[in-house]
Amino acid sequence: NIPTLFDPIKSQYQAVLSFFQLENAGMVLVPSVKGKGDIKDNPALHDAYELGKNMDQRIGGVGTRTRIPRFKNKVWQACT
């Protein structure tokens, strides 16, 4: 059962977000990825790319050129 499989991961993720007062930007959860090449040609790769692209746009399109200070919740709050 996939929801049961990812429940502990989701719970921990939500706890971290709550502790640091961060916004949930989204998740891409993919079952049955254990070995090298298991993710190849999986539609989840596109989902992960789109999530990353959306995050980049929400923080002003900084891409990889600018480092975002770690655990600075004001950065994430300003993006909403």
Side-chain angles (χ1 to χ4, degrees), residues 5-40:
L5 172 68
F6 289 118
D7 281 348
I9 296 167
K10 290 181 192 177
S11 179
Q12 185 65 37
Y13 177 68
Q14 293 297 334
V16 170
L17 292 178
S18 177
F19 181 81
F20 290 108
Q21 299 177 2
L22 298 172
E23 175 190 346
N24 181 0
M27 290 185 254
V28 178
L29 305 171
V30 186
S32 303
V33 177
K34 296 177 184 173
K36 184 177 179 178
D38 287 349
I39 193 79
K40 186 176 179 177

Side-chain angles (χ1 to χ4, degrees), residues 42-75:
N42 189 306
L45 287 175
H46 177 73
D47 296 342
Y49 173 80
E50 289 297 321
L51 177 61
K53 188 168 80 171
N54 183 41
M55 289 173 59
D56 184 51
Q57 291 169 352
R58 292 177 65 190
I59 58 176
V62 295
T64 57
R65 295 181 303 273
T66 305
R67 289 190 63 166
I68 299 171
R70 296 175 104 190
F71 308 123
K72 299 290 185 183
N73 59 0
K74 298 297 181 192
V75 171

